[in-house]
Amino acid sequence: MRTVLEEVRSWHRPLMLMVLAMAALTLAAGVGLAVDNREILNESVWLKPFKFGISFVLYGATLAWLLSKLRKAKRFGWWTGTVFALTGVVDVGFIAVQAARGTFSHFNTNTDTFNQVGQQVFMSGVIGLFGASLVVAIMLLFQRVGDKPLNRVIRVGVGLATAGMAIAFYLVGANSQNEQVTDAYGNPVTLGGSHGIGVEAGGPGLPLTNWSTVGGDLRIPHFVGLHAIHFLLIVLLALHLLGRRVAWLRPERVRARLVGVAAFAYAGVMLTVTVQAFRGQALIHPDVQTLGMLGGFLAVSLAALAGVVAAARRPVRLPAERAEDFEKLGV
């Protein structure tokens, strides 16, 4: 435990402070979910800050760990992480304040001064978060911060997370159809954009996430991309633990190839749900085209997996002269 704590203390400090702030927000929003019955668009006003708090705890801690692994341009990496931390606190802080006010943080075009200033800061923050993630992704692309399997996880995971963040640009303005709704007090609010495609705000959604069950929802690929690195780290950990019992999983090249297969499959899922959302189709109601696209990615992934496993389990044949040398040694 002491070793773990010492390792965590070496992580990027501003990001870890942001993580602590987000953890506190998650706890506060959780209390709000339990005791505050105000709703907007048929969900608690505290659900959004609760979800953002959890997401930023996970991604912020991961980014803090990654930056501690940099071997080059450490100072530049530190400042990049600090920009992300500050921007994250401001952006999610605005979401929490708007929740406390019983109104919308995203897409709110109402003309009161606080909202107008907050929206400008919020939209600038999206650019800051995306830009910082993109810089870190580029830095990691040209540095080796671990063994080959871990390096592949980091590069693909951060790359997909950056792609997921890029979808946020569409969420904050490109999809700019105005819609009239009401806040938690029944006051009119004009929304100048939406995460939905082919569906009005406030429609039926899945439990907790509230992802639309009747139309496309860009929050889905945004979420899938943002947490790609967490999925791949879990895969890598599983391979490491299995390698203690399964001999053919121990070589670094085998685990790196298996991570590559998992990354390809995950990227395929992300691309599929992205196309599905832009087509205005609900996640739980895929059509033949969506199922065919997903099936194609999974079929290729399974074929690649079978090839990697077969090659890894194939006995190694030694040259005749080397085999004789081993026989002389009694091996």
Side-chain angles (χ1 to χ4, degrees), residues 163-207:
M165 284 189 177
I167 296 174
F169 285 110
Y170 192 86
L171 293 177
V172 297
N175 185 21
S176 56
Q177 182 178 356
N178 288 342
E179 188 172 349
Q180 296 296 322
V181 293
T182 57
D183 64 15
Y185 302 105
N187 300 316
V189 177
T190 301
L191 300 183
S194 173
H195 47 67
I197 303 291
V199 60
E200 293 184 356
L206 295 173

Side-chain angles (χ1 to χ4, degrees), residues 257-258 261 300-314:
R257 290 170 182 171
L258 290 173
V261 172
V300 173
S301 300
L302 289 173
L305 176 62
V308 171
V309 172
R313 299 184 66 178
R314 189 178 302 128

Side-chain angles (χ1 to χ4, degrees), residues 126 130 160-174 194-195 217-226 270 273-275 277-278:
V126 171
F130 172 75
L160 291 178
T162 305
M165 284 189 177
I167 296 174
F169 285 110
Y170 192 86
L171 293 177
V172 297
S194 173
H195 47 67
D217 198 323
L218 290 172
R219 291 175 296 183
I220 300 170
H222 178 64
F223 174 88
V224 172
L226 191 63
M270 181 178 173
V273 297
T274 301
V275 173
F278 275 108

